[in-house]
């Protein structure tokens, strides 16, 4: 049996064959199938009535175009889309069917002009709730235009009539392809009917393909990409008949719908329609048939290019979407149905990094530098823009897509057409590593032909550049825009090339895409600041390892602060203590030894002695280092009691804590000791979780995120902007920073159905889209996040480690609010597109909360210089921010009556919600908070005795909060 036979292909799946759907997954086709009876009520009856009405029209012969124009022109109540004057000379019109108004259902306008479509808008019945639109598409009989000598497939040369040198390349006209396609309407219906008869899964596979295309914005119109569900069905029907070697079918009729769907997607991903012509069947007799300006999928049996109305950029986009979907189908961790058929992929802000709105000039046909193929001046101008940008940006742009103005149906009633400026919407997906390069290199100077083309394209800004090796090349210098990042460089390139090549003005170009990056201070130089912090930590690590008088040798010094993994909200800067910021956190692990005490409290005191010795040794070895021992706000002697701040003169400061393996062993033993009471085991489990969080999880997390931030240039800025979003909505005090970083990292590691985020905007919005889809009621987030195979080691340590470490103490109301905010933001991004004001996604007031504790913003200054909060060069690092200490204290005391929300150090308010479950109750000795008697009796027990009820004493709780906050609290606002 030959390997390319249909049966062989069905059984051989060693190279990613059609079988891919796991047995436990539900079939896709029933879930994607539309219930036509409910979606389009009474449609069949309407179609039958319309068919009868059209067949009952009076028949008559051809009418001369001048006579038809004169007759119809007298009717001022309707606007008839008659052929243009130039079309009259080019294409003879065979006749016009007169209008009819059957059963008052609508108006049917049938035209013979090949590029006109009449729409019938059915009136709703009184009992019908849904409305729909029926389109009447006139088609010529098979072979009609061929029998009447269809115009030769020759395109006018590019410069004819515009003062440009004429080219000799001939291409078939778009009009000619349209005429061919119209005359093949019935043969294609027969093709689809035969495919549905021979393949039982054909219709279901067409449903899947239609849904897949719709979610990606593809349709049959040129403005929608020129590839709709009809093209999908025709392609699949052709592949069931031919396409393989020796014209054997590529698809097998015995495949089920999901297999047919994947095989068709795989064909689109591998055929490269944007690069080469694809022939299904025998080669055409005339080679010039394949020489077309757009993609070519030639159906030799019907002599038609199926993709004649598809553009170059839409073919490339279709190929990219097919590759992404194929990658998702081969990834067992992806929820395929949602990725392929539910998620709306046609969202510009989720896809592209840079946007340009280009005004289409009124003389677009004269500005176009390419030969027209009959699709109109807008398409020709867009093709010119696409080719110019593609050549100018080169590897800086991974994907360029152009959205043409959508054509609207012409109204049957007469109305004056209002002239308006139409625009092209260009979306560009950038390569962040290459888009910010400051110099564009061209061919070698010795290559005269290519060098001349390079200079002709770039004009006067082209210059010579000599490498250290001595080679001289043509180049263009964009270094003056590199401080603005990739956006500034690409904007400068696009502005220059469109002005010089297409004679556009700056007023014709409007750029979008940088708005999200301006929400917080993000700069291309931030990476250098993070690298400086990591280098400073390496120096600090070397200084500690060089100490020779330590009782135990150093096993590891791990950085656990976000500054060393490119994830802190603000870029780190030296001389931190002058700004009052918290030092960079680090963990010191020593070698295992029997010198450690066998008591946990004694181990904590041994850590203090060790930190003091490290501080003294560092100050003796390095005169420019200052060390300060700080005490933790511990409630038990078994907790970690101290840390050591190491401050470098005019440099960074670090906060060092010590980890002991002996402490972890003792805590693990107590957790499993069934002889201890439950309270002691629970306390030991909490301490063990905290110790492992700092010593095991955070170092591994820090290393992992740092590695991925180096690999993905947009990850760092996306993490920082996402953290700002959580803080803006006062959720940061419940979701720790590492968990937020995992959210963003998940959007990068599993971006399906989108490509990898390549900018701050796409990374941030993709994270919100991810959070909007989480169901916190049924599935823990940490259980759905698996950032690396190395992280599997966490589960080996403790099966509950991920849940405890990352999602500990997150109230359900907080998780629900986070999901609701993410859904709202994602919907706004989808609905408004580039017109979205990013600031609206970060605005959150106090109106949604019951209590607002407004803190002093620090504008007041003490009259004592030594107490001035601005401090001086000798100010000590803060153990923690004052508002953080206040919030921790309030949570410890009033977690029962109030749920507190805070947005980080820059938030000047602590918001709170009253617990609705603390309703009035009878008196008891263990009241959860301050209660007071109700003003009125709650009723009696029937014996004349009233049962006194007690309600939450909100005034007393708020007064206590004001007393605890002291001068830090400016005022407390209560919602009435």
């Amino acid at each position: 049996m030959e390997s390319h036979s249909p049966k062989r292909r069905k059984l051989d799946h060693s190279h990613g064959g059609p079988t891919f759907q796991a047995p436990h997954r539900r079939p896709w086709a029933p879930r994607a199938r539309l219930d036509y009876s409910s979606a389009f009520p009474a449609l069949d009856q309407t179609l039958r009535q319309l068919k009868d009405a059209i067949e009952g029209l009076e028949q008559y012969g051809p009418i001369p175009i001048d006579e038809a124009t004169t007759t119809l022109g007298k009717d001022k109540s309707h606007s008839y889309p008659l052929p243009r004057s130039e079309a009259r000379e080019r294409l003879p019109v065979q006749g016009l069917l007169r209008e009819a108004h059957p059963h008052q259902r609508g108006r049917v306008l049938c035209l013979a002009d090949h590029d006109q479509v009449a729409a019938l808008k059915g009136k709703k019945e009184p009992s019908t709730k849904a409305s729909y639109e029926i389109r009447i598409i006139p088609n010529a009989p098979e072979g009609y235009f061929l029998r009447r000598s269809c115009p030769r497939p020759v395109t006018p040369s590019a410069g004819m009539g515009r003062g440009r040198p004429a080219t000799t390349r001939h291409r078939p006209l778009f009009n000619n392809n349209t005429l061919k396609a119209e005359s093949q309407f019935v043969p294609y219906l027969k093709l689809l009917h035969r495919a549905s008869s021979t393949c039982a899964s054909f219709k279901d596979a067409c449903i899947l393909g239609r849904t897949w295309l719709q979610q990606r914005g593809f349709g049959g119109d040129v403005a929608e990409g020129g590839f709709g569900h009809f093209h999908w069905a025709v392609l699949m029907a052709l592949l069931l008949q031919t396409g393989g070697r020796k014209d054997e079918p590529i698809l097998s009729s015995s495949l089920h719908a999901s297999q047919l769907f994947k095989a068709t997607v795989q064909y689109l991903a591998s055929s490269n329609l944007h690069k080469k012509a694809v022939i299904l069947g025998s080669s055409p007799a005339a080679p010039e048939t394949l020489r077309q300006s757009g993609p070519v999928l030639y159906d030799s049996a019907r002599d038609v290019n199926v993709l004649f109305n598809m553009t170059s950029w839409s073919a490339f986009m279709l190929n990219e979407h097919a590759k992404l979907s194929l990658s998702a189908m081969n990834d067992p961790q992806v929820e395929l149905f949602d990725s392929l058929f539910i998620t709306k992929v046609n969202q510009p802000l989720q896809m592209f990094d840079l946007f340009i709105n280009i005004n289409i000039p009124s003389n677009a046909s004269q500005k176009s530098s390419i030969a027209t193929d009959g699709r109109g001046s807008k398409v020709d101008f867009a093709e010119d823009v696409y080719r110019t940008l593609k050549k100018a940006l080169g590897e800086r742009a991974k994907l360029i897509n152009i959205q043409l103005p959508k054509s609207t149906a012409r109204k049957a009633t007469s109305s004056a057409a209002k002239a308006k400026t139409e625009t092209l919407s260009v979306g560009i997906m950038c390569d962040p590593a290459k888009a910010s390069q400051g110099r564009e290199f061209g061919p070698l100077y010795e290559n005269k032909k290519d060098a001349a083309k390079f200079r002709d394209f770039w004009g006067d800004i082209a210059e010579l550049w000599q490498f250290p090796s001595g080679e001289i090349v043509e180049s263009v210098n964009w270094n003056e825009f590199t401080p603005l990042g990739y956006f500034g460089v690409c904007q400068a390139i696009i502005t220059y090339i469109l002005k010089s090549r297409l004679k556009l003005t700056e007023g014709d170009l409007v750029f979008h895409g940088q708005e999200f990056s301006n929400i917080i201070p993000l700069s291309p130089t931030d990476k250098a600041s993070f690298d400086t912090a990591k280098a400073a930590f390496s120096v600090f690590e070397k200084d500690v390892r060089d100490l020779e008088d330590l009782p135990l040798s150093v096993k590891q010094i791990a950085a656990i602060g976000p500054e060393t993994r490119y994830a802190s909200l603000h870029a780190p800067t030296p001389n931190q203590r002058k700004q009052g910021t918290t030092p960079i956190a680090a963990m010191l692990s020593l070698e295992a030894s029997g010198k450690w005490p066998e008591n946990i409290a004694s181990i904590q005191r041994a850590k203090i002695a060790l930190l003091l010795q490290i501080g003294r040794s560092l100050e003796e070895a390095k005169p420019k280092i200052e060390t300060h021992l700080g005490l933790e706000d511990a409630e038990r002697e078994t907790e970690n009691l101290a840390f050591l701040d190491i401050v470098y003169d005019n440099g960074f400061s670090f906060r060092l804590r010590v980890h002991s393996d002996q402490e972890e062993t003792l805590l693990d033993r107590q957790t499993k000791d069934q002889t201890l009471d439950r309270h002691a085991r629970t306390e030991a489990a909490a301490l063990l979780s905290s110790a492992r969080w700092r010593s095991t999880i955070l170092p591994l997390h820090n290393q992992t995120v740092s590695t991925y931030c180096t690999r993905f240039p947009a990850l760092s800025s996306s993490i920082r902007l996402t953290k700002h979003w959580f803080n803006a909505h006062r959720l940061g005090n419940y979701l720790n920073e590492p968990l937020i970083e995992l959210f963003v990292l998940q959007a990068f590691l599993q971006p399906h159905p989108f490509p990898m985020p390549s900018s701050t905007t796409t990374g941030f919005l993709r994270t919100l889209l991810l959070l909007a889809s989480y169901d916190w009621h049924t599935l823990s987030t940490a259980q759905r996040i698996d950032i690396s195979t190395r992280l599997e080691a966490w589960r080996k340590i403790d099966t509950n480690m991920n849940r405890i470490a990352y999602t500990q103490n997150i109230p359900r109301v907080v998780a629900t609010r986070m999901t609701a905010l993410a859904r709202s933001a994602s919907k706004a991004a989808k609905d408004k597109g580039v017109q979205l004001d990013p600031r609206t996604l970060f605005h959150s007031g106090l109106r949604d909360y019951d209590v607002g504790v407004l803190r002093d913003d620090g504008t007041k200054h003490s009259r004592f210089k030594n107490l001035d909060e601005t401090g001086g060069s000798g100010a000590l690092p803060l153990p923690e921010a004052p508002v953080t200490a206040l919030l921790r204290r309030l949570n410890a005391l009033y977690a029962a009556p109030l749920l507190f929300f805070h947005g980080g150090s820059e938030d000047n308010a602590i918001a709170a919600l009253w617990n609705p479950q603390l309703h009035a109750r009878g008196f008891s000795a263990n009241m959860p908070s301050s209660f007071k008697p109700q003003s009125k009796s709650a009723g009696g027990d029937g014996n004349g005795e009233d049962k006194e009820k007690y309600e939450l004493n909100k005034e007393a709780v708020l007064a206590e909060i004001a007393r605890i906050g002291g001068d830090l609290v400016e005022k407390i606002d209560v919602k009435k």
Side-chain angles (χ1 to χ4, degrees):
M1 184 185 296
E2 296 183 3
S3 60
H4 55 265
S5 65
K7 185 175 182 180
R8 180 75 175 192
R9 281 192 302 276
K10 179 185 176 184
L11 298 178
D12 185 10
H13 309 306
S14 57
H15 300 287
T19 297
F20 71 100
Q21 192 167 359
H24 66 277
R25 293 181 177 175
R26 295 170 53 194
W28 291 345
R31 301 166 66 184
R33 189 178 294 118
L34 180 65
D35 186 0
Y36 289 95
S37 60
S38 60
F40 306 104
L43 177 61
D44 291 340
Q45 181 182 0
T46 304
L47 290 176
R48 288 191 180 94
Q49 293 177 354
L50 179 60
K51 177 178 179 295
D52 295 340
I54 294 177
E55 292 176 349
L57 292 177
E58 181 183 355
Q59 303 296 322
Y60 56 90
I63 301 176
I65 187 63
D66 293 335
E67 180 181 345
T69 303
T70 303
T71 302
L72 297 178
K74 295 178 180 179
D75 186 0
K76 302 302 182 180
S77 61
H78 295 82
S79 175
Y80 296 95
L82 296 174
R84 298 177 295 273
S85 58
E86 61 269 20
R88 300 174 191 175
E89 302 176 359
R90 170 176 53 83
L91 181 63
V93 178
Q94 304 302 327
L96 293 171
L97 295 178
R98 62 184 178 183
E99 60 178 290
H101 192 266
H103 302 284
Q104 296 186 353
R105 290 235 174 227
R107 188 169 299 276
V108 181
L109 187 63
C110 297
L111 301 170
D113 191 7
H114 71 280
D115 60 350
Q116 301 294 339
V117 177
L120 172 72
K121 294 186 177 180
K123 297 183 178 179
K124 295 188 294 182
E125 297 287 349
S127 59
T128 303
K129 296 182 179 180
S131 61
Y132 44 81
E133 180 178 295
I134 301 175
R135 289 190 174 184
I136 310 300
I137 307 178
N139 285 277
E142 183 177 357
Y144 177 84
F145 292 106
L146 297 180
R147 293 195 303 267
R148 288 160 175 75
S149 301
C150 184
R152 294 182 59 190
V154 177
T155 298
S157 57
M160 292 178 60
R162 295 197 294 269
R164 299 191 183 100
T167 60
T168 58
R169 183 179 180 184
H170 291 186
R171 292 192 295 249
L173 286 170
F174 174 77
N175 298 345
N176 298 341
N177 285 318
T178 305
L179 296 178
K180 286 183 180 180
E182 282 199 355
S183 62
Q184 296 295 324
F185 182 74
V186 174
Y188 275 116
L189 288 182
K190 293 179 180 179
L191 172 67
L192 298 179
H193 177 71
R194 184 167 56 252
S196 61
S197 301
T198 57
C199 180
S201 303
F202 178 77
K203 291 184 178 180
D204 286 342
C206 289
I207 293 175
L208 295 177
R210 178 186 62 187
T211 307
W212 182 80
L213 290 171
Q214 288 177 346
Q215 295 302 88
R216 283 147 186 82
F218 283 96
D221 191 78
V222 176
E224 296 176 342
F227 192 93
H229 59 274
F230 173 79
H231 303 84
W232 173 280
V234 168
L235 173 61
M236 198 159 51
L238 292 174
L239 295 181
L240 286 168
Q241 296 181 357
T242 183
R245 289 175 293 180
K246 300 181 181 179
D247 287 340
E248 292 187 353
I250 290 181
L251 302 180
S252 171
S253 59
S254 60
L255 299 177
H256 60 71
S258 300
Q259 292 173 324
L260 283 175
F261 171 78
K262 181 184 179 181
T264 307
V265 170
Q266 190 172 8
Y267 181 83
L268 292 174
S270 59
S271 57
N272 294 324
L273 295 171
H274 59 287
K275 292 183 179 180
K276 60 182 180 180
V278 177
I279 303 174
L280 297 179
S282 58
S283 300
E288 63 270 12
T289 305
L290 303 179
R291 299 172 186 171
Q292 302 190 26
S293 60
V296 176
L297 181 65
Y298 182 70
D299 179 9
S300 59
R302 279 151 285 273
D303 190 28
V304 172
N305 174 21
V306 179
L307 306 180
F308 69 91
N309 58 342
M310 199 174 189
T311 58
S312 304
W313 59 86
S314 61
F316 190 88
M317 177 72 78
L318 180 65
N319 179 261
E320 288 297 311
H321 279 303
K323 290 179 179 178
L324 291 171
S325 298
L326 190 64
S327 174
M329 287 185 279
N330 293 330
D331 190 345
Q333 297 183 357
V334 177
E335 176 56 43
L336 288 183
F337 189 81
D338 290 348
S339 176
L340 296 176
F341 309 113
I342 299 298
T343 304
K344 187 68 173 179
V345 186
N346 185 30
Q347 301 184 44
L349 289 180
Q350 300 280 6
M351 281 286 296
F352 302 105
D353 311 314
L354 189 151
F355 304 90
I356 322 157
N357 289 337
I358 305 177
N359 293 334
I360 301 178
S362 57
N363 57 345
S365 58
Q366 299 179 7
K367 289 181 177 289
S368 178
S369 61
I370 62 174
T372 180
D373 62 355
R375 287 183 290 182
S377 58
K378 299 176 186 177
V379 180
D380 294 339
F381 179 73
E383 285 279 2
D384 220 349
V385 170
Y386 175 74
R387 298 186 185 191
T388 303
L389 293 181
K390 187 174 180 61
K391 184 175 181 180
L393 294 176
E395 295 182 347
R396 301 176 191 268
K398 295 189 292 185
L399 187 64
I400 300 176
N401 183 63
I402 299 179
Q403 180 62 54
L404 292 165
K406 292 186 178 181
S407 57
T408 56
R410 183 186 299 220
K411 293 184 178 180
T413 56
S414 298
S415 60
K418 297 181 180 180
K420 62 178 182 180
T421 303
E422 295 184 302
T423 61
L424 295 179
S425 299
V426 183
I428 301 176
M429 183 188 302
C430 300
D431 186 336
K434 299 178 181 179
S436 57
Q437 293 178 355
R439 184 172 289 274
E440 184 80 19
F441 295 105
L444 291 172
Y445 175 72
E446 291 79 4
N447 192 342
K448 300 297 184 180
K449 185 177 180 180
D450 293 339
K453 292 181 180 179
F454 185 87
R455 286 187 169 272
D456 178 67
F457 182 78
W458 288 106
D460 297 336
I461 63 173
E463 60 185 19
L464 297 178
W465 174 265
Q466 184 175 6
F467 288 102
S469 60
E471 291 182 336
I472 300 177
V473 298
E474 298 285 349
S475 70
V476 179
N477 184 17
W478 305 104
N479 283 318
E480 61 177 307
F481 301 99
T482 52
L484 303 177
Y486 79 91
F487 187 90
V489 175
C490 291
Q491 181 177 357
I493 295 174
I494 293 170
T495 302
Y496 170 80
I497 203 64
L498 292 183
K499 289 172 62 178
S500 63
R501 301 291 297 181
L502 301 185
K503 309 305 179 184
L504 299 178
T505 63
E506 291 189 3
D508 294 328
L509 308 176
V510 179
F511 290 85
H512 300 277
Q514 193 70 1
E515 294 82 2
F516 280 90
S517 299
N518 296 330
I519 295 295
I520 60 175
L522 296 175
S523 171
T525 60
D526 287 347
K527 184 179 184 301
S529 300
F530 284 106
D531 291 337
T532 302
K534 295 191 68 174
F537 177 79
S538 299
V539 173
F540 162 68
E541 180 182 8
K542 182 178 181 300
D543 291 341
V544 175
R545 288 185 179 275
D546 289 343
L547 299 179
E548 299 179 353
D549 55 349
L550 297 180
L552 297 175
S553 33
V554 176
K555 182 174 65 174
Q556 180 188 27
I557 302 179
I560 58 176
E563 299 86 355
T564 56
R565 57 178 183 264
Y566 304 94
S568 60
L569 184 58
H570 300 288
T573 56
N575 200 11
Q576 291 175 302
R577 62 176 181 175
K578 188 175 182 179
Q579 303 173 6
T581 56
T582 305
I584 299 175
M587 284 298 299
L588 171 63
S589 299
L590 303 173
E591 64 174 353
S593 173
K595 298 180 180 180
W596 289 102
E598 290 292 332
N599 180 271
I600 297 178
S602 300
I603 291 178
Q604 305 301 342
R605 288 168 173 77
K607 288 182 183 179
I608 296 177
L610 183 60
L611 290 173
L612 287 172
Q613 184 173 352
I614 292 175
R616 287 192 297 267
S617 301
L618 282 175
E619 290 180 344
E620 293 174 359
K622 305 290 182 180
K624 294 186 178 181
I625 291 181
E626 295 181 7
T627 61
H628 308 278
L629 185 69
L631 298 179
E632 307 273 16
D633 189 9
E635 297 180 356
R636 298 178 293 269
E637 62 178 0
T638 54
E639 298 181 33
N640 188 75
L641 300 177
F643 55 84
L644 181 68
D645 285 339
I646 299 95
V647 183
Y648 284 77
D649 188 21
N650 294 326
F652 290 91
S653 58
F654 302 92
R655 178 157 293 170
L656 185 66
R657 292 179 174 89
V658 177
H659 169 69
S660 171
D661 292 335
Q662 179 68 11
E663 176 188 4
E664 186 173 330
T665 302
L666 294 176
L667 289 173
D668 184 65
R669 188 182 304 166
Q670 291 182 9
T671 303
K672 300 176 182 178
D673 190 356
Q674 298 298 325
T675 61
L676 298 177
D677 57 33
R678 183 176 180 179
H679 174 74
R681 294 199 307 270
T682 302
E683 182 180 305
L687 293 176
L688 178 62
S689 175
S690 177
R692 287 178 173 174
W693 168 254
R694 287 182 176 177
S695 63
T696 305
I697 296 180
L698 278 184
L700 182 57
H701 175 91
N702 202 83
Q703 181 183 0
T704 303
V705 174
S706 177
T707 301
Y708 280 118
C709 283
T710 305
R711 185 180 304 176
F712 306 139
L715 178 58
S716 175
S717 57
S718 300
I719 289 175
R720 297 165 63 190
L721 185 60
T722 305
K723 288 183 177 180
H724 177 67
W725 182 81
F726 275 94
N727 288 339
H729 294 287
R730 297 184 174 89
L731 300 175
N733 59 313
Y734 289 104
L735 291 94
N736 54 57
E737 291 193 38
L739 176 60
I740 299 175
E741 294 162 14
L742 286 188
F743 286 151
V744 184
L745 185 56
Q746 178 78 349
F748 277 76
L749 294 181
Q750 290 189 355
H752 307 296
F754 301 95
M756 178 77 67
S758 51
S759 67
T760 305
T761 301
T762 53
F764 168 70
L765 292 178
R766 211 78 63 75
T767 304
L768 295 187
L769 192 63
L770 176 76
L771 296 177
S773 63
Y774 275 140
D775 185 2
W776 291 83
H777 295 274
T778 59
L779 191 59
S780 171
T781 305
Q783 291 174 327
R784 298 185 61 177
I785 295 180
D786 187 11
I787 62 174
S788 156
T789 54
R790 292 183 299 168
L791 303 185
E792 290 293 338
W794 298 356
R795 298 187 177 94
K796 296 180 180 179
I797 297 174
D798 186 349
T799 56
N800 293 325
M801 180 61 69
N802 284 343
R803 181 177 59 82
I804 293 176
Y806 283 96
T807 59
Q808 187 178 18
N809 298 329
I810 299 181
R812 184 62 55 88
V813 63
V814 174
T816 304
R817 178 171 174 79
M818 182 203 70
T819 304
L821 289 170
R823 288 175 180 171
S824 177
S826 299
K827 184 178 184 301
K830 181 178 67 173
D831 295 342
K832 297 183 179 180
V834 296
Q835 303 302 325
L836 173 69
D837 184 359
R839 294 172 297 180
T840 59
L841 304 185
F842 296 85
H843 177 71
S844 178
L846 296 175
R847 63 181 180 274
D848 295 333
Y849 304 95
D850 298 327
V851 178
V853 181
L854 302 181
R855 65 183 182 91
D856 184 7
D857 58 2
T859 57
K860 300 178 182 179
H861 300 278
S862 173
R863 60 190 180 91
F864 301 102
K865 294 183 178 181
N866 60 331
L867 298 180
D868 191 357
E869 64 274 4
T870 58
S873 59
L876 298 180
L878 296 174
E880 59 182 339
V883 66
T884 304
L886 173 61
L887 182 63
R888 181 170 49 81
R889 184 64 174 170
L890 294 180
N891 276 319
L893 295 176
Y894 305 108
L898 287 169
L899 187 65
F900 294 96
F901 298 85
H902 183 59
S905 58
E906 297 180 355
D907 189 6
N908 63 348
I910 298 177
L913 292 174
W914 293 110
N915 186 355
Q917 297 181 355
L918 290 184
H919 48 77
R921 62 190 65 193
F923 179 80
S924 64
N926 55 347
M927 288 285 194
S929 183
S930 175
F931 278 71
K932 66 178 181 179
Q934 283 186 334
S935 57
K936 294 182 179 180
S937 174
D941 59 355
N943 298 323
E945 296 181 1
D946 293 337
K947 290 185 177 180
E948 189 175 12
K949 295 289 186 178
Y950 292 82
E951 62 182 359
L952 182 64
N953 191 351
K954 298 180 179 180
E955 295 78 8
V957 172
L958 296 179
E960 292 174 2
I961 291 177
R963 179 182 58 82
I964 295 173
D967 293 337
L968 193 61
V969 175
E970 183 176 353
K971 66 176 181 177
I972 297 178
D973 290 337
V974 181
K975 183 178 180 180
K976 296 182 180 180

